[in-house]
Amino acid sequence: RDGPVFVSLCHWSAPLPWLTMGSHHRLLCPLGVCWRSGADHSITVEQAGIDKGAIIGEQRGEAKTLLRQLTRKFGPDCAERYRERVEAANIKQLDAWLDNILTAESPETVFH
């Protein structure tokens, strides 16, 4: 598609520019970035926000679970020592650490 894309935000619409990126188009908007695929599947600003919130919620939940498991297995000092690292990790890394803690002999083997 050529021309502006209109996105409805709280009962008002605004033309927003978009850039072609292969078969996807990146929609630039003041609330973030949305993607439109060439197959006419569109993601609204609202849906992009919901998706981002779900990812953040999943990351926080996994971090909380790992910190709790570290506390139960190695003591509260251990969880505090690794808190910053755990809270900054992405979901893929947290999944690996959550698997590692099941057989870990020490905190270091969780994160190795």
Side-chain angles (χ1 to χ4, degrees):
R1 292 175 55 174
D2 292 327
V5 174
F6 289 84
V7 176
S8 177
L9 304 170
C10 302
H11 304 296
W12 62 271
S13 296
L16 302 171
W18 52 291
L19 306 171
T20 300
M21 303 191 58
S23 65
H24 291 82
H25 307 288
R26 193 167 99 175
L27 177 62
L28 306 176
C29 62
L31 299 178
V33 176
C34 303
W35 292 92
R36 295 181 68 91
S37 75
D40 198 27
H41 298 288
S42 60
I43 299 173
T44 64
V45 172
E46 179 182 20
Q47 186 60 49
I50 291 168
D51 292 347
K52 183 177 180 180
I55 291 167
I56 290 169
E58 181 179 0
Q59 186 274 339
R60 287 180 181 167
E62 289 193 11
K64 181 179 177 180
T65 299
L66 180 58
L67 290 169
R68 182 166 185 215
Q69 290 177 345
L70 287 167
T71 298
R72 299 279 303 200
K73 190 163 187 169
F74 302 113
D77 292 340
C78 175
E80 287 307 311
R81 185 171 58 236
Y82 290 100
R83 179 175 300 282
E84 188 174 320
R85 183 175 182 184
V86 168
E87 290 177 347
N90 62 39
I91 293 170
K92 183 178 178 181
Q93 187 62 68
L94 288 165
D95 284 341
W97 293 339
L98 285 165
D99 289 343
N100 292 348
I101 199 166
L102 297 173
T103 57
E105 298 289 329
S106 68
E108 292 75 25
T109 59
V110 172
F111 299 101
H112 188 252

